[in-house]
Amino acid sequence: MPDLRKLLDKMTIEEKIGQLMQFSSDVFADDGADVTGPRAQYQLTEEDMARVGSILGTNSAETVIKLQKEHLEKDRNKIPLLFMRDVIYGYRTNFPIPLGFGCSFDPALVAECSEMAAKEAAASGIHVTFTPMVDYVRDARWGRVMESCGEEPLLNSRMGAAQVKAFQGEDLRDREHIASCVKHFAAYGGAEAGRDYNTVDLSEHTLREFYLPAYKACVDAGVKMLMPSFNSLNGIPSTGNQWLMKKILREEWGYDGLVISDWGAISELLKHGIAADERQAARMAFDCGCHIEMCSNAYHLHLEELIEEGAISEEQLDDAVMKVLELKEELGLFEDPFRGASSEKEQALFMSEAHRAIAKKAAAESAVLLKNEGVLPFSEEIKRIALIGPFADEKKALGIWKCNGQYDEVTTVREGFAAALPQVEILCAKGCGAEWNDSDDSGFAEAIEIAKKADAVVLCLGEPDDYAGEGNCRTDISLPGLQNRLAKEIAAVNSNTAAVLFNGRPLVLSRLAEAVPAILELWYPGNEGGHAAADLLLGRANPCGKVSMSFPKATGQCPIYYNRNNTGRPKKVEKEGIRTRYNSGYLDCGNLPLYPFGHGLSYSNFIYEDLTLSADSMESDGAIQAKITIYNDSDRAGKEVVQLYMRDLVASMVRPVQQLIDFKKVEFAPYERKEITFEIREPMLRFWNWDQKFISEPGEFQISTGCADHLLHTQTFELK
Ligand code: NOJ
C-alpha cells in the first residue's frame, strides 16, 4: 500500500492538476497529428496527457489494459488511471431503463441488476459508474425521465440507495464492484417546460421535500462520488453553486467524497453568464469543491495560475488530489492497476445465462399492465398470432444509455413468441413507422389482413429508442406517426388485441386506450424484452409493475404528478366536456392523469378488504401500526405493491393531497389472504416549513391505501 501523503508530497503542481482532469477515450485515441482533433481542442501536449488522472468512456478490457500500460510507462509517479463510464441500466447485458426499474417497486431486484452490471463493467476495466441518476421528475416531455425512477421521493431514495450499495458492494477491492457516482445534483429534472438543460426555478420548500431526498439517500448509502447538474437552480448553475455544494451537501449532509463536474459543465459557466472567462469558471467550480473536471480544460489551463495568485491555496489543491488518490487506493489500483480487467472474464459474463435470466425477470417485473378488458392473458391454445407494428421485430429498443449493449443481442417480440410458442403460426407486419413525421400508411393493408386471420393480435408500438434520454425532449408526447390510427384499424377487425409499448417516458395514450382493450407498458425492456413480453401476454408471468410516473391524458397536462397541492378551488367533477369555470381545471381535459402513480393491473384479483390503525392517536415519539388485509381472489399466484399514503389534513402550509410514506411488494399464492403491517412514525409526517426546518405539526392525519387518485380505504389518527 503506497503512502499517499508521501506520493502527494513528491508531485509537482502540474502533476496534481493532472489528477483533476478527465477526458474521453477518443482524446487518447488521438495521436495529436490532427490540428482540429480532440487533443488539439483541449490544448493537451504529450506531457499533459501523461498526467491525466482519469478517462471516460472506454468499452473493453483490451483498451483499458493498453491505455493503463501506456500511461504507467509515461507517468513518473506511476499513478494508475481511473476509468469511468455511464453504466446506467446494464453494461453489455441490458436491463430495463430506470423508469421501468421504478415501476418494479423492487429495490432488491434493481440491486441484483446493478450487481450484474458492476461485474460486467469491472471485467471491462471500469472503476466508476455515473449511476444512479436520481433526478426527481414530473414532466414527461423531458427526455431524461427515462433515467429516473419517477415522481416519488421515497421510491427514488430507496432505488438510489439500493443501486449505490449494489454497485459498490462491501469492499471495492474485490474487483467485482465499482464506485458509484450519484447525479445530477440538484434538481436537473425540474427543467422548465421539460426542455433539457433549461432553467430550474424552485422554492426551497419544493426542493427540500421532493427533489433533494434521493441524493441525500445516496450520500447516506456511502456513495463515493457526486456530479453536480448542468442546470441553474434559482439563478445559479449547480457547478458554481456554493449554497448547494457547500452548505447543503457538505455542511448539512456531511458529504466528504469526490465531486466530478458534468461534461464541459465548468466551461459552461461562461455560457450561463456567471463567469466572465474560463479562469473565473475554474475558480468558481473549484471553490464549490468540484474536484475533477470532465471534458473541458478550465482546470488544465488556469488552476496553476490561480494557485500562484493565491486565489486557491495549495492545501485546497492537495485535498482534492488526495481524494482522487484515495479512491484509486480504495479500488486497489496501486497494487493491481488492471484490477482484474480481462477479455476472458468479459466473454464469460456478457449476456451470460445468469445475467440474461435476471434481465428477463427485471423486464417482466418492470412492465405495467395499464389496461385489460378481459383479453389478457392470451390463451396458449391459439393457432395463429399476429404481431403488428414498428416494434414487432425491432431490435433497436434499448434506449440511448445502453452502454455496451448490442442491438443484435436484443430479443424482439417476434423472437420471444417464436421461442415461447414454437407450434403457433406467427404472422408479422410493421404496418407503419414510429417516427413523428411518418405518414406512410401503405403497410396498413397487410397489417389488417394478418390481424383478420389471427386468433390474437399484439400491437407493438412506441417511440424510437433515441426519442428519450439526454437532449431528446418532445413537445408532443403522443404515440408518434400513424400508430394510433393503425391501432384503431387493427382493433376494429380483431377485438382480441393487446398493445405493448416500447418507450422512454409516459406517453399520452388516450387515443390508444379508446382503441384497444389491453395495454402493457414495457418501456425499453433490455435485451430480454421479447421473452418477457411473450411470458406476460401468455400469463406465464403475472404483471406486477405499478406506474412510477403519471401518464397524462394530454401533453398540456404536463407537469402532472400525484403528490400535488390542493387549490382553493379544486375541481369537483372529474369529467371532460363539462365547463369548469372558476374551478382549477381545464376546459377540454380532466385534471387527473390517464394512469396515475401506483396504478397497475394483475392477472390475480387483489381485493383490499380492510385498513385498520392500531390507535387513533400517536405521541410524537411513538408509533402506530397500519394493517391492510388483502385477498387474492384468483387461482393465480401474483405480486402486489402495497402502498401506504398519508395526508396532513390541516397544517401551517398547504400540504400535498397524498404522499407515499411506505410500500411493500408482497407475493400471494392463489386465494391467499394476507395482513400487511406498516409502522408509522413521526418523521414520516414531516415537511419543510416556512422557518426552513423539517417538522411535523400536531393534528389530524389521513392514512390510505390503494394507489394515487384511487384510494381504497382511509383512516385518520391524531398526532399529539
Ligand atoms: C453528460 C450527462 O449529463 C451525464 O449524465 C453523463 O454522466 C456524462 N455526460 C458522461 O457521459
Side-chain angles (χ1 to χ4, degrees):
M1 203 158 100
D3 181 334
L4 297 183
R5 182 48 60 185
K6 261 198 192 151
L7 176 59
L8 189 70
D9 287 346
K10 75 170 200 200
M11 289 167 75
T12 64
I13 298 251
E14 278 172 320
E15 284 167 346
K16 290 177 184 173
I17 294 170
Q19 290 299 312
L20 311 183
M21 285 156 39
Q22 173 169 112
F23 295 101
S24 57
S25 52
D26 57 335
V27 174
F28 292 81
D30 175 2
D31 61 9
D34 181 357
V35 288
T36 59
R39 259 180 67 177
Q41 186 198 326
Y42 291 121
Q43 304 178 41
L44 292 168
T45 63
E46 202 55 48
E47 293 74 47
D48 298 331
M49 299 276 288
R51 290 191 285 260
V52 167
S54 60
I55 299 185
L56 152 73
T58 51
N59 58 13
S60 70
E62 197 188 340
T63 312
V64 165
I65 292 168
K66 177 175 169 283
L67 289 173
Q68 190 73 290
K69 262 191 195 151
E70 288 171 2
H71 169 78
L72 290 172
E73 277 160 23
K74 288 186 209 147
D75 180 14
R76 75 170 184 114
N77 297 313
K78 309 282 170 235
I79 303 174
L81 284 159
L82 273 176
F83 290 88
M84 309 196 193
R85 183 96 196 257
D86 292 280
V87 186
I88 312 279
Y89 43 89
Y91 185 77
R92 174 69 166 260
T93 313
N94 267 232
F95 303 103
I97 58 169
L99 200 54
F101 278 163
C103 295
S104 76
F105 278 74
D106 192 342
L109 176 68
V110 171
E112 227 179 319
C113 297
S114 306
E115 265 175 30
M116 308 250 157
K119 267 191 201 162
E120 292 191 8
S124 258
I126 301 300
H127 309 136
V128 181
T129 174
F130 301 123
T131 304
M133 183 280 210
V134 292
D135 298 333
Y136 175 76
V137 290
R138 291 174 162 179
D139 194 329
R141 290 173 294 180
W142 193 47
R144 302 197 79 168
V145 303
M146 72 171 280
E147 294 165 58
S148 162
C149 285
E151 70 188 41
E152 175 30 63
L154 177 72
L155 179 62
N156 289 356
S157 300
R158 289 190 186 169
M159 291 298 190
Q163 289 177 76
V164 168
K165 288 184 183 152
F167 270 108
Q168 297 190 163
E170 295 284 310
D171 181 2
L172 281 178
R173 280 171 192 277
D174 68 12
R175 299 177 181 181
E176 297 213 321
H177 292 89
I178 60 178
S180 158
C181 170
V182 60
K183 66 191 189 187
H184 309 85
F185 185 68
Y188 185 23
E192 259 178 22
R195 180 158 63 77
D196 208 2
Y197 318 120
N198 206 6
T199 299
V200 178
D201 209 273
L202 287 175
S203 70
E204 185 168 349
H205 164 79
T206 302
L207 183 71
R208 295 270 188 177
E209 280 188 31
F210 297 93
Y211 287 82
L212 295 188
Y215 308 110
K216 165 95 167 37
C218 294
V219 167
D220 292 345
V223 75
K224 298 285 175 201
M225 200 182 276
L226 175 139
M227 186 190 290
S229 54
F230 282 129
N231 56 282
S232 66
L233 175 63
N234 300 335
I236 304 187
S238 304
T239 315
N241 192 324
Q242 297 261 345
W243 179 75
L244 204 54
M245 301 303 296
K246 281 193 168 160
K247 174 152 187 310
I248 295 192
L249 182 66
R250 266 95 172 194
E251 283 172 33
E252 287 185 27
W253 297 357
Y255 180 70
D256 192 31
L258 269 168
V259 170
I260 186 167
S261 81
D262 203 342
W263 185 299
I266 298 185
S267 57
E268 285 177 19
L269 294 176
L270 270 72
K271 296 192 185 130
H272 278 287
I274 68 155
D277 50 35
E278 288 218 317
R279 190 175 150 281
Q280 195 189 352
R283 182 174 179 179
M284 283 177 120
F286 200 82
D287 264 349
C288 282
C290 184
H291 307 115
I292 303 178
E293 176 175 25
M294 182 198 293
C295 299
S296 54
N297 53 5
Y299 283 5
H300 166 46
L301 299 181
H302 302 288
L303 268 194
E304 192 169 352
E305 130 204 11
L306 285 165
I307 291 163
E308 277 162 15
E309 285 167 10
I312 289 173
S313 69
E314 214 174 327
E315 290 72 58
Q316 275 176 295
L317 177 69
D318 283 358
D319 281 351
V321 177
M322 193 51 138
K323 285 202 179 344
V324 177
L325 298 178
E326 278 166 359
L327 182 62
K328 292 183 173 183
E329 157 64 12
E330 250 188 284
L331 285 155
L333 287 172
F334 286 101
E335 287 101 79
D336 174 7
F338 308 106
R339 208 178 168 263
S342 104
S343 307
E344 292 72 41
K345 267 200 213 162
E346 289 181 321
Q347 287 304 314
L349 290 167
F350 290 175
M351 293 292 288
S352 69
E353 224 170 283
H355 290 199
R356 288 176 56 173
I358 291 294
K360 180 174 157 189
K361 182 170 168 211
E365 302 251 340
S366 301
V368 188
L369 184 59
L370 295 172
K371 173 176 179 177
N372 186 18
E373 286 171 358
V375 256
L376 293 177
F378 288 138
S379 155
E380 300 234 355
E381 305 307 310
I382 50 174
K383 302 263 176 306
R384 206 182 263 164
I385 188 163
L387 308 174
I388 296 172
F391 286 89
D393 202 19
E394 178 59 70
K395 289 189 174 278
K396 214 165 164 277
L398 289 176
I400 68 160
W401 292 106
K402 64 184 172 55
C403 201
N404 265 25
Q406 307 288 310
Y407 286 127
D408 61 2
E409 291 173 352
V410 169
T411 311
T412 68
V413 177
R414 187 188 60 74
E415 290 163 342
F417 270 96
L421 296 177
Q423 74 290 359
V424 168
E425 186 184 354
I426 295 174
L427 308 170
C428 201
K430 194 170 169 190
C432 65
E435 299 284 349
W436 63 270
N437 57 354
D438 268 325
S439 56
D440 179 5
D441 64 1
S442 59
F444 273 42
E446 184 198 0
I448 292 169
E449 217 34 58
I450 66 165
K452 281 185 188 160
K453 286 191 212 151
D455 303 317
V457 178
V458 186
L459 269 166
C460 307
L461 311 173
E463 52 177 0
D465 97 327
D466 56 359
Y467 271 34
E470 189 178 348
N472 298 323
C473 304
R474 298 180 61 195
T475 60
D476 172 4
I477 56 169
S478 52
L479 269 173
L482 301 178
Q483 296 182 86
N484 277 315
R485 208 187 102 204
L486 178 72
K488 193 170 174 193
E489 296 191 20
I490 296 295
V493 298
N494 191 331
S495 58
N496 201 24
T497 291
V500 296
L501 296 174
F502 294 81
N503 45 311
R505 56 164 63 75
L507 295 171
V508 168
L509 300 176
S510 307
R511 284 179 63 195
L512 182 70
E514 273 171 28
V516 299
I519 305 176
L520 178 68
E521 175 61 72
L522 290 177
W523 309 109
Y524 298 123
N527 288 88
E528 299 298 296
H531 292 306
D535 280 0
L536 288 161
L537 293 165
L538 294 169
R540 297 180 188 181
N542 191 351
C544 58
K546 302 281 182 186
V547 168
S548 64
M549 186 176 185
S550 303
F551 280 69
K553 283 185 183 144
T555 308
Q557 283 185 321
C558 293
I560 184 166
Y561 47 95
Y562 86 95
N563 35 16
R564 60 192 176 270
N565 288 347
N566 221 346
T567 68
R569 294 187 173 191
K571 193 171 171 181
K572 290 189 198 91
V573 190
E574 182 58 29
K575 250 191 189 164
E576 269 102 275
I578 292 187
R579 282 184 80 82
T580 54
R581 271 171 181 282
Y582 311 124
N583 277 332
S584 59
Y586 300 105
L587 284 178
D588 55 353
C589 185
N591 282 357
L592 296 181
L594 185 63
Y595 301 116
F597 177 85
H599 165 79
L601 306 172
S602 163
Y603 299 147
S604 304
N605 182 25
F606 294 115
I607 298 178
Y608 281 64
E609 294 182 331
D610 203 10
L611 162 69
T612 56
L613 299 182
S614 59
D616 55 14
S617 69
M618 183 174 105
E619 298 297 328
S620 63
D621 58 354
I624 60 171
Q625 276 78 44
K627 290 188 195 306
I628 300 163
T629 314
I630 299 174
Y631 177 56
N632 175 11
D633 189 14
S634 77
D635 58 5
R636 275 177 193 273
K639 290 183 193 162
E640 175 68 345
V641 178
V642 188
Q643 303 159 48
L644 193 73
Y645 292 93
M646 171 278 270
R647 179 169 182 179
D648 187 345
L649 289 173
V650 180
S652 57
M653 288 182 77
V654 178
R655 302 301 305 138
V657 292
Q658 291 156 48
Q659 277 177 281
L660 190 75
I661 52 170
D662 207 349
F663 63 88
K664 286 182 186 165
K665 193 166 184 176
V666 184
E667 268 189 88
F668 288 79
Y671 302 107
E672 187 180 18
R673 175 174 283 108
K674 273 189 178 171
E675 192 180 71
I676 320 299
T677 305
F678 293 98
E679 190 165 86
I680 303 169
R681 291 186 170 273
E682 181 274 333
M684 296 157 102
L685 311 174
R686 292 184 188 170
F687 66 95
W688 186 256
N689 77 353
W690 199 247
D691 298 328
Q692 315 282 298
K693 285 192 193 81
F694 271 113
I695 54 128
S696 63
E697 292 174 351
E700 231 188 330
F701 287 81
Q702 204 172 58
I703 297 295
S704 316
T705 191
C707 79
D709 299 321
H710 291 289
L711 299 176
L712 296 170
H713 296 284
T714 295
Q715 297 288 346
T716 53
F717 75 94
E718 195 191 338
L719 177 69
K720 296 276 190 194

